[in-house]
Amino acid sequence: EYREIANPTHTREILARHGFTFKKSLGQNFLTEPNILRKIVQTAEIDEQVNVIEVGPGIGALTEYLARQAKQVLAFEIDDRLIPVLADTLQSYPNVTIKHQDVLQADLLKVTSETFKETLPIKVVANLPYYITTPIMMHFLESDLVVDEMVVMMQKEVADRISAKPGTKAYGSLSIAVQYYMEASLAFIVPKTVFVPQPNVDSAILKLTRRQKPAVEVIDEKAFFKLTKAAFQLRRKTLWNNLVNNYGKDEKTKQWLSQALAVTGIDPKRRGETLSLQEFADLSNQLVKTLH
Ligand code: SAM
């Protein structure tokens, strides 16, 4: 009788058989609750017409669920000790490819085109290593690879920041960087108790769906992201203070900034967190058009 990997007893057996010990520094908190895995796969709506990328398969708990539904699964795992474990636990899933690599170093477009035999929609589904949640999200968003959907587990606090709306405390440059490309919604909360070892923080599943086109029209994306980062640099400072701190305090720069603010009707005394994506886009476009 077959027993799935994500079952507390079976997980313990696998770990013992391979003499595996957790590395906190690699964010290793493994899922052992089948119900959560089922919910993740349901949220991601995976079928034979989808290729999946997973980050950090661990011993393969989630990978197994993905492999049963998807056409192919490509999983990046950095820990060399897990490579033989995965070869063992996932041996009956020929549609899984394990890539022994730091995902942040991976050329995603290249690896996926080498791995996936068919051109199908690509979804990223993962229980992320929390110490690099934001770099991983940005690595996917900034790569040339078109990801249609991401269903990713992360610390709840980061999920809140990514999905935050303007005017809220959690809203910041990360919210904007993600929401520019993707529609973000919090799918469900995951209790600490379903992991071994248990993490210190609460977790959440975030669902991100790629927009047909970016949320706002910007002339120069680099300039837009530079502006949004600058606006939130010191959260208690006004937009004006953050802008002159980042772009320069000389008269010419100040005039350039204040004119752009006037033209777009944005009060320099406002705080960055009150500006909508559209206002940031308007301001960025005006600054680019009048580059001094
Ligand atoms: N997917 C498994 C599960 O849900 O049980 C394990 C998830 S665990 C939170 C994160 C995994 O990411 C670990 O297996 C860890 O070794 C791996 N990892 C950490 N840093 C990584 C990196 N830079 N690139 C690829 N994998 C990484």
Side-chain angles (χ1 to χ4, degrees), residues 6 20 23 25-32 37 40 54-63 75-82 86 99-105 125-132 136 153 194-196:
F20 184 82
K23 263 199 194 143
S25 61
L26 289 178
Q28 292 178 338
N29 302 94
F30 295 173
L31 275 170
T32 56
L37 292 164
I40 294 174
E54 189 191 4
V55 178
I59 62 169
L62 175 59
T63 324
F76 291 94
E77 177 54 63
I78 197 172
D79 189 345
D80 43 299
R81 302 170 307 152
L82 286 169
L86 289 161
K99 191 89 186 154
H100 180 202
Q101 192 179 14
D102 176 352
V103 70
L104 296 178
Q105 300 300 321
V125 185
N127 170 16
L128 295 174
Y130 292 177
Y131 72 106
I132 43 169
I136 291 174
M153 174 126 67
V194 300
F195 302 88
V196 277

